[in-house]
Amino acid sequence: MAGASLLTLIDDIAGLLDDIAGLTKTAAQKSAGVLADDLALNAEQVTGFRPHRELAVVWGVAKGSLLNKAILVPAALLVSALAPWMVTPLLMLGGGFLCFEGLEKVLQKLFPGQHPTEEKPRHPAQGGSAEREKRRIRGAVRTDFILSAEVIVIALGTMTEAPLLQRFGALAAIGLIMTVGVYGLVAGIVKIDDLGLVLQESGSSFVRRMGRGLLGFAPLLMKFLGIAGTIAMFLVGGGIYSHGIPFIHHLAVELGHGLGSWEGLGLILFDGLVGVVVGGIIVAMVTIVQRLRGAPSH
């Protein structure tokens, strides 16, 4: 009897793991686009440090990302069970932050030192590279929190009929796979130039040429990821608003029907436009508030 009970337990566990694997696969397919945005954003966030600190920064952000998942998975299950109406507003708050950050990056590139919401440079006495590193890690972890929340919510939407234990297991698996996959790739991307240097010092002429090619490719890749990361902020943030606000969603549907075979590209551009508009509204509001706070009292 004990042996039969053990076999039954093992069979139940195997069935549970199989169900979790199926839910995880479906959820990963639905959230693949956000994972691509997450990769572009995080690769851009952790660049610009000295070579010997790059992996330490990636590891710091990865640890923060794991903590984000540890908070988000049970929180998402709790909110979906007790107050499902809160999911969309919370996502919109995160989407607004992404749009704001994206437009801030654009404005700072176009008008360096002139935009009122730009963080002012600190005096050297106020903190060196270690403080800057901590600030960048905190900023990357905040951005990761928003993207992770969207992935978790999208994944949760694919498994609403599943039992609680299966949903928890699938969400935990998605969170772990997302963190290991994204930050593993980010670590590889930021060390491309180091690999190029190693290959360049090799004895083989072909390998040396390959190393020089990697050294030339690395800054181009970083620049591309910086641009792609900013665009991703608008696309992800705008997509949250275009799906979460009924009249904007209706406009997107009408636009898609009118574009025919160009529907996919048109909807992507529409999400980006919505993201720029939302970012502009938030930047304007923040600018007005900062100017009012800085205005002399009468």
Side-chain angles (χ1 to χ4, degrees):
M1 292 292 293
S5 298
L6 178 60
L7 289 175
T8 301
L9 177 61
I10 293 173
D11 185 62
D12 289 343
I13 293 174
L16 175 63
L17 293 177
D18 186 59
D19 291 337
I20 289 174
L23 290 173
T24 302
K25 180 181 178 180
T26 302
Q29 291 172 344
K30 291 288 186 182
S31 56
V34 182
L35 292 177
D37 294 337
D38 196 10
L39 173 62
L41 275 172
N42 282 291
E44 187 267 338
Q45 290 266 30
V46 301
T47 57
F49 294 96
R50 294 178 181 177
H52 72 282
R53 295 300 304 163
E54 288 174 338
L55 290 182
V57 171
V58 174
W59 174 237
V61 181
K63 288 190 294 184
S65 179
L66 287 172
L67 179 60
N68 286 342
K69 310 302 188 302
I71 295 170
L72 286 167
V73 169
L77 290 171
L78 188 62
V79 170
S80 67
L82 300 180
W85 59 269
M86 287 183 59
V87 172
T88 298
L90 289 173
L91 272 179
M92 286 187 180
L93 285 175
F97 174 79
L98 287 178
C99 297
F100 170 75
E101 287 280 291
L103 195 58
E104 278 286 89
K105 287 177 177 289
V106 173
L107 291 174
Q108 288 171 17
K109 290 291 185 183
L110 295 176
F111 311 104
Q114 296 182 25
H115 197 264
T117 64
E118 182 177 356
E119 182 181 347
K120 299 297 187 290
R122 299 190 175 200
H123 189 276
Q126 293 179 275
S129 59
E131 183 182 346
R132 171 177 169 268
E133 182 177 303
K134 290 178 181 177
R135 289 200 307 270
R136 286 282 293 276
I137 290 175
R138 287 196 296 267
V141 171
R142 284 196 301 268
T143 300
D144 175 274
F145 187 89
I146 296 166
L147 291 170
S148 297
E150 188 179 12
V151 169
I152 295 298
V153 171
I154 291 172
L156 190 61
T158 67
M159 54 186 81
T160 52
E161 302 300 322
L164 178 63
L165 187 58
Q166 290 182 19
R167 280 183 284 160
F168 177 79
L171 290 178
I174 282 287
L176 184 61
I177 292 169
M178 175 182 174
T179 302
V180 173
V182 167
Y183 290 100
L185 287 172
V186 169
I189 289 170
V190 299
K191 300 308 289 182
I192 285 178
D193 51 352
D194 289 352
L195 176 61
L197 286 172
V198 171
L199 294 178
Q200 195 176 28
E201 295 174 358
S202 172
S204 167
S205 61
F206 173 75
V207 175
R208 287 200 301 271
R209 285 198 298 272
M210 185 182 298
R212 287 194 295 270
L214 286 176
L215 287 174
F217 173 70
L220 295 177
L221 176 61
M222 294 304 179
K223 187 173 182 179
F224 167 77
L225 289 174
I227 296 171
T230 302
I231 293 173
M233 287 182 168
F234 292 124
L235 294 179
V236 174
I240 291 173
Y241 278 82
S242 66
H243 288 88
I245 299 179
F247 86 89
I248 298 180
H249 181 65
H250 178 71
L251 284 176
V253 171
E254 291 296 321
L255 175 66
H257 290 162
L259 291 175
S261 60
W262 295 92
E263 179 180 358
L265 178 60
L267 292 178
I268 290 174
L269 294 176
F270 182 80
D271 286 349
L273 178 61
V274 171
V276 172
V277 172
V278 171
I281 292 172
I282 298 175
V283 166
M285 292 171 61
V286 171
T287 301
I288 291 171
V289 170
Q290 286 189 343
R291 287 180 175 174
L292 289 175
R293 290 174 60 186
S297 58
H298 297 285

